[in-house]
Amino acid sequence: MTSNGSRLAQRALTLAALCLFIGAAEANAPQGRLKAFSRSIRMRYNRVEGIFLGYRLGVAPRTWQGFGFFAEGGYGMHNQSPRWESGLEYQKDKTTFSLTLFDRTETNDRDITHTGENTVFTLLFKWDYQDYFRAKQGIEAKGAYRYRRYLRFLGRLSAFDYENMPLETGWSLFHPNRAFRTNPRIQPGDAGLLQLGFVLDTRIRSPIFRNAWHLSATCERGFRAFEYNGLILAVKRFQKVALGSQAFVVQARIGTRQSTHEQHLFDLGGVSTLRGYDIKEFTGNRMVMVNFDYLFGGDLLGRMPIRGLHLLNLILFFDAGWTHAVPKSETLLSGFGDLSLKDFKPNIGVGVGALRQFLRFNLALRLDRRNDPWVVSLRVKRKF
């Protein structure tokens, strides 16, 4: 077969596999209700493992009275390294709990993109938005208690060893000659982490836009070789507008950590943060961010205002964010006192969403300097 033919065949196979990656790549997604027997294939693609193939098996017979066992293993084709985790789960009434032993490829960026979406754009364009580290020789206990219908209290205690992961692949479907971003080097060592928090979520599963709140707060305490305190607060409002088929989503997020290690910093820039800037252009251990999306019409609101375009939504958006680096000896709230509006990095943009935001195309422009080009981004299965 000619080289052109080989490339076409490779592209065809990759595109055929995208639907599998979108649905099956979420290796750390919540499992929902425990099933008597479950199994699934796990797949992902990133710049430190290349193609990763894994398999998960879960067993939870009714006679075990809410307890279950799971085991998962996989192998990175390019870094030639296995990953695994196994443990016990418990779910009954309002309480869930798990105890896990693991050797994982980890990222702190799942709030930016989910694994399936990140896999698709890494395969196609080398848009790997996540950064990675290895968390090995790990043990983790996690629990959640549903206090009210919309309110959950969460806790997590884990201990593991940080290890760096270098770039291992340079392939993509449409940009084989483009270079991947360097995966930032973290501080290796033995880590311990305690997290306590709550989530208030009034959203309802529905294909139609509904008014809702989503609030969360997480307190962190690092120990062993990485002693620090941290606090992350986030609030999001989904709100319909009385005039026509319109709605908006506004989000605010504040983070602070008493650490200067790479793996504990906050990054802004790119999708889900400041959409008019380069990916992770701004970094610090203090962070404030605001996002505002205004949506017009389409099936998202359950109406068809424009004949032939009822499957589309027009979105106007605005983002602004700020990061700052503070010495680890400072208090948890220091660094915010001198913050002013002129310190924020703003951008504006326009987007088009399709199929109730299953697909979304964004164009964004940074406002802190002139003559910069518009930044293009795509989203899959990520509404806002």
Side-chain angles (χ1 to χ4, degrees), residues 70 83-88 98-106 133-142 156-163 189-193 224:
F70 68 92
R83 296 290 187 267
W84 61 271
E85 58 182 279
S86 63
L88 294 173
S98 65
L99 180 64
T100 308
L101 301 176
F102 61 87
D103 182 348
R104 298 172 178 158
T105 295
E106 268 289 7
F133 58 86
R134 183 179 182 182
K136 62 180 184 178
Q137 300 176 13
I139 182 170
E140 177 181 75
K142 291 196 303 184
R156 174 191 176 197
L157 177 63
S158 58
F160 55 89
D161 291 348
Y162 281 113
E163 186 176 282
D190 299 335
L193 179 62
R224 299 176 80 184

Side-chain angles (χ1 to χ4, degrees), residues 31-39 58-62 64 67-69 89 91:
Q31 298 303 307
R33 294 181 59 84
L34 297 182
K35 298 180 179 179
F37 181 79
S38 63
R39 56 188 178 182
V59 180
R62 291 185 178 181
W64 291 12
F67 284 94
F69 169 80
E89 297 175 303
Q91 183 173 344

Side-chain angles (χ1 to χ4, degrees), residues 149-361:
R149 179 182 178 184
Y150 299 119
L151 178 62
R152 291 180 298 144
F153 293 99
L154 309 173
R156 174 191 176 197
L157 177 63
S158 58
F160 55 89
D161 291 348
Y162 281 113
E163 186 176 282
N164 280 288
M165 297 188 69
L167 298 183
E168 295 289 354
T169 182
W171 185 87
S172 74
L173 187 61
F174 295 119
H175 295 281
N177 297 322
R178 175 188 292 170
F180 272 118
R181 288 190 308 116
T182 299
N183 191 46
R185 291 188 59 81
I186 62 168
Q187 177 66 41
D190 299 335
L193 179 62
L194 173 65
Q195 293 177 311
L196 298 173
F198 73 87
V199 174
L200 176 66
D201 188 357
T202 65
R203 294 176 298 178
I204 299 174
R205 285 181 176 269
S206 171
I208 299 175
F209 190 101
R210 298 181 183 275
N211 296 345
W213 286 100
H214 187 278
L215 296 87
S216 65
T218 303
C219 296
E220 299 178 339
R221 172 61 180 171
F223 54 96
R224 299 176 80 184
F226 299 90
E227 294 188 4
Y228 75 95
N229 294 311
L231 177 64
I232 303 172
L233 305 174
V235 58
K236 185 181 290 187
R237 176 61 179 175
F238 303 81
Q239 181 65 52
K240 292 182 180 180
V241 177
L243 300 175
S245 301
Q246 301 173 38
F248 67 83
V249 180
V250 60
Q251 173 183 225
R253 188 176 178 89
I254 300 174
T256 175
R257 289 188 176 118
Q258 289 176 299
S259 175
T260 56
H261 296 301
E262 171 64 35
Q263 56 263 47
H264 301 144
L265 300 181
F266 302 102
D267 301 302
L268 293 182
V271 296
S272 292
T273 59
L274 307 182
R275 287 164 277 190
Y277 294 81
D278 291 337
I279 184 169
K280 300 193 174 186
E281 187 170 342
F282 309 106
T283 298
N285 54 6
R286 304 290 189 271
M287 178 271 293
V288 179
M289 181 183 68
V290 177
N291 309 109
F292 182 83
D293 289 50
Y294 199 94
L295 298 92
F296 295 88
D299 63 350
L300 189 67
L301 302 181
R303 299 166 181 164
M304 301 182 185
I306 304 176
R307 184 178 298 275
L309 294 178
H310 62 277
L311 297 180
L312 301 179
N313 301 102
L314 175 67
I315 306 105
L316 303 180
F317 60 84
F318 170 82
D319 307 317
W322 166 87
T323 60
H324 187 55
V326 175
K328 62 185 302 181
S329 58
E330 297 292 328
T331 63
L332 194 61
L333 299 181
S334 65
F336 294 99
D338 298 328
L339 178 60
S340 64
L341 289 178
K342 66 179 181 181
D343 296 323
F344 281 85
K345 299 295 183 179
N347 67 247
I348 57 173
V350 60
V352 176
L355 304 175
R356 294 192 172 99
Q357 301 287 301
F358 179 83
L359 297 174
R360 179 166 167 176
F361 173 82

